[in-house]
Amino acid sequence: MTIERTLSIIKPDATARNITGKIISKFEDAGLRVVAQKRVHWSQAQAEKFYEVHKERPFYGDLVAFMTEAPISIQVLEGEGAIAKNREVMGATNPEDAAPGTVRAEFAENIERNSVHGSDSAENAAIEIALCFDEAEIVG
Ligand code: IDP
Ligand code: MG
C-alpha cells in the first residue's frame, strides 16, 4: 500500500445537522489524517464545475442546487490506500445499500442527500484536490 491523498466533502445535509465532527471522527478512526480543511459555501458556478463529470445525468441540476444550499466542509485526507479507505468508510451512494457503521448508513438522508463526497480514483483525487486547494494549503 502506498500513502495517498483523497478529496473529501461533508455535504450541506450534514453541516446543517451539525455532525461535521462525528463524520471526521470516522475518518480519523480509520487511520485517515486531515491534512487540509476549509468550510465554504459554494456558488452555483463552483458546484457546476466540481460535478461537471455528471452534467449529462438526470440528477445534475438537483445535485448542484443541493450542494449550494448550505456550507460544506472540504478536506484532503491522507493515509495508506486513502482513496479506497475513504470510500469504504463512506459506504454506498444509496444509504439503503450502505454497510452498517459507514457514514452513509448512519447519517445519510437519501441517495442525493448522502452526507459525504469522496474521490473515486487516483486521477480524480488529484484533479479534485487541485480544484479545491492551493498546494500551500495542504499542511500535513
Ligand atoms: P458517489 O458520491 O458515491 O461517488 P456518484 O455516482 O458519483 O456517487 O454521484 C455523485 C452524487 O450525486 C452522489 O453522491 C449523490 O449526492 C448524487 N446522486 C447519485 N445518484 C443519484 C440519484 O440517482 N438521484 C439523486 N442523486 C444522486
Ligand atoms: Mg462519485
Side-chain angles (χ1 to χ4, degrees), residues 54 87 117 120:
H54 293 311
R87 299 283 307 188
H117 166 85
D120 62 7

Side-chain angles (χ1 to χ4, degrees), residues 39-59:
R39 193 169 175 106
V40 296
H41 194 150
W42 268 352
S43 66
Q44 176 157 336
Q46 285 173 302
E48 282 175 350
K49 178 147 204 226
F50 186 84
Y51 280 115
E52 206 164 17
V53 289
H54 293 311
K55 76 170 175 274
E56 304 306 330
R57 295 174 80 176
F59 56 79

Side-chain angles (χ1 to χ4, degrees), residues 47-83:
E48 282 175 350
K49 178 147 204 226
F50 186 84
Y51 280 115
E52 206 164 17
V53 289
H54 293 311
K55 76 170 175 274
E56 304 306 330
R57 295 174 80 176
F59 56 79
Y60 178 69
D62 286 347
L63 178 60
V64 168
F66 162 51
M67 291 300 291
T68 56
E69 75 179 28
I72 56 176
S73 174
I74 312 181
Q75 42 285 322
V76 177
L77 303 177
E78 187 179 84
E80 282 201 1
I83 297 159

Side-chain angles (χ1 to χ4, degrees), residues 11 51 54 57 59 63 87 93 104 111-112 114 116 118:
K11 295 182 177 182
Y51 280 115
H54 293 311
R57 295 174 80 176
F59 56 79
L63 178 60
R87 299 283 307 188
T93 308
R104 283 165 165 171
I111 191 170
E112 177 186 84
N114 60 3
V116 279

